[in-house]
Amino acid sequence: MSTTSGYTGDVRPGGPPDVRVLDRAVVAKRSVGPTDNAAYVVACRATGLRMLVDAAADASLLLELVEQVGEACPTGPLAVVVTTHRHRDHLGALADVVDATGARTAAGADDAEAIEGATGVEVTDPLLDGDVLALGELRLDVVHLRGHTPGSVALALVGAEDSGRSHLFTGDSLFPGGVGNTQGDPARFASLIGDVTARLFEQYGDDTWVYPGHGRDTTLGAERPHLAEWRARGW
């Protein structure tokens, strides 16, 4: 387990988490399940309250992850599980995690019904673009990114570092090397690349850290020079 100085975001399925300690937050990443899903715990260092982003699989490992951030902040409950989008590989452990913790659940409003149907878990907090999720003294802004699914959302953790750097949890809407899969649908791709450009790249700085739903982390600065290339290739 590493902290700020050693954090890379490189994790492997079933392996140990990678943990970074920020001025006012802790972010922990773990890979779970057969499709190498990234799940994240965000914790408020002042209050100990925790958020899980994508209860993808392996509930026991995710519940361990909720506890492991306690080394860098006070002990606190899991307050909410956010599901970034409706695809089954991002919600396989949702019911078990909620049963074990009693946490609230949040997801994009346009994906909420599908998530409830797939899991039997009520989405208590349907999210719209511009909503704010409070986690103790932390603020996470909701960014609706239409295209991968109708209700896909990203979360922007702002104010967690004295430097002003933001941290984006993008689900399957933005990865190193491109936007999420739109199954070759030109309209869906146009929607997603448009939202990612206007709502992420035009709103946040190059130092913004990106935590995707699978694989390695990146920054907006590393990806920004390639936006025109992505748009031209159509995926």
Side-chain angles (χ1 to χ4, degrees), residues 147-148 172-194 196-197 201 223 226-235:
H148 184 63
D172 283 3
S173 291
L174 177 63
F175 296 98
V179 298
N181 191 354
T182 53
Q183 282 74 45
D185 184 322
R188 287 173 58 197
F189 173 75
S191 177
L192 183 55
I193 193 72
V196 165
T197 299
F201 284 94
E223 306 304 323
H226 306 290
L227 278 169
E229 171 194 339
W230 301 349
R231 191 178 293 275
R233 75 189 185 192
W235 58 272

Side-chain angles (χ1 to χ4, degrees), residues 99-118:
D99 284 347
T101 64
R104 303 190 333 269
T105 60
D110 291 336
D111 276 3
E113 182 177 354
I115 291 167
E116 291 175 344

Side-chain angles (χ1 to χ4, degrees), residues 56-106:
D58 299 332
S60 61
L61 294 183
L62 296 180
L63 292 169
E64 278 183 15
L65 188 63
V66 171
E67 297 299 324
Q68 284 165 331
V69 299
E71 297 175 10
C73 67
T75 300
L78 180 65
V80 60
V81 182
V82 180
T83 304
T84 59
H85 63 287
R86 65 172 69 178
H87 288 161
R88 288 182 178 272
D89 62 316
H90 287 259
L91 45 78
L94 182 61
D96 288 342
V97 169
V98 170
D99 284 347
T101 64
R104 303 190 333 269
T105 60

Side-chain angles (χ1 to χ4, degrees), residues 35-40 54 84 90 170-172 174-175 211-215:
T35 52
D36 191 13
N37 284 74
Y40 302 91
D54 283 343
T84 59
H90 287 259
T170 57
D172 283 3
L174 177 63
F175 296 98
Y211 306 87
H214 302 266

Side-chain angles (χ1 to χ4, degrees), residues 123-137:
V123 174
T124 58
D125 299 22
L127 303 174
L128 300 173
D129 187 64
D131 284 351
V132 177
L133 285 171
L135 185 70
E137 296 185 359

Side-chain angles (χ1 to χ4, degrees), residues 148-175:
H148 184 63
T149 67
S152 289
V153 293
L155 300 176
L157 175 61
V158 296
E161 289 194 85
D162 292 338
S163 67
R165 175 170 57 176
S166 298
H167 296 257
L168 289 171
F169 301 87
T170 57
D172 283 3
S173 291
L174 177 63
F175 296 98

